[in-house]
Amino acid sequence: KISAAAKFVGDLFLRLLQMITIPLIVTSLVTGVTGLGDTQRFGKMFGRTLLYYLTTSMLAIATGLLMVNLIRPGEGAILPGGGEPVVGGGESVGGIFRGLAERMIPTNPIESLAGGEFLSIITFSILLGIFIIYTGGKSGQVLRDLFEAGFHVMMKLTMAIIALAPIGVFPFMLF
């Protein structure tokens, strides 16, 4: 009975953390981008960030492909319910990057938000922030103020949830 209650409390804490993740990401990214105030400053920073991201992604993918081709983990294993042995997949680096690029651009941002597709959410939030800056004027200021207010609310909510961490984490130590 204690382990069931502890699991319940711990799961509630995890759900609280999951609940705030996406709104916090969206509001913080949009607020951060619009806080730059100038698209030229953003362009320089975006170029560096993109170069860093692509370089580290390429290194991670190359390392992963090298290790998988050397070690071949799981090859020949029979998975439960499958009956057929696992064979090696042969996806190229280009195919991996195409898939990454496709996941970056959401076909439906609301669906991406609901599905927790973080790469799509990040791309959409950054683009939204850029175009709030481009729009400018009263409309841009209203949206900037809206996302900034949303960010402040999300930070207060986040801090309240983090204050519950001792209560939320303790149950996981029981089982």
Side-chain angles (χ1 to χ4, degrees):
K1 295 212 180 237
I2 291 176
S3 69
K7 182 176 179 352
F8 177 71
V9 171
D11 288 346
L12 284 179
F13 179 68
L14 286 178
R15 290 178 73 88
L16 285 170
L17 290 173
Q18 291 169 336
M19 174 184 75
I20 62 169
T21 304
I22 291 174
L24 185 62
I25 289 171
V26 172
T27 56
S28 65
L29 282 174
V30 172
T31 302
V33 170
T34 58
L36 293 173
D38 182 14
T39 53
Q40 290 178 346
R41 283 179 53 196
F42 181 76
K44 192 173 187 178
M45 182 187 71
F46 181 73
R48 287 187 201 147
T49 303
L50 186 62
L51 177 65
Y52 174 79
Y53 178 74
L54 289 175
T55 302
T56 56
S57 293
M58 182 64 90
L59 288 171
I61 290 168
T63 303
L65 286 172
L66 176 71
M67 295 309 292
V68 162
N69 286 318
L70 286 175
I71 299 170
R72 301 196 180 282
E75 193 169 294
I78 298 175
L79 299 177
E84 293 290 320
V86 176
V87 293
E91 189 165 5
S92 68
V93 174
I96 292 170
F97 273 111
R98 267 192 303 283
L100 182 65
E102 287 173 358
R103 285 191 306 277
M104 282 179 70
I105 311 297
T107 56
N108 182 345
I110 304 301
E111 186 178 327
S112 294
L113 288 166
E117 299 169 15
F118 290 102
L119 198 54
S120 296
I121 293 167
I122 291 168
T123 303
F124 177 75
S125 299
I126 290 171
L127 288 173
L128 183 60
I130 291 169
F131 282 92
I132 289 172
I133 293 172
Y134 274 135
T135 301
K138 186 176 179 182
S139 298
Q141 190 59 47
V142 166
L143 285 173
R144 186 178 293 174
D145 291 343
L146 173 73
F147 279 99
E148 191 170 323
F151 175 67
H152 289 300
V153 170
M154 289 310 304
M155 284 305 296
K156 289 282 186 189
L157 181 57
T158 302
M159 296 313 290
I161 292 170
I162 288 174
L164 297 173
I167 297 167
V169 173
F170 178 71
F172 290 117
M173 294 173 16
L174 291 177
F175 58 94

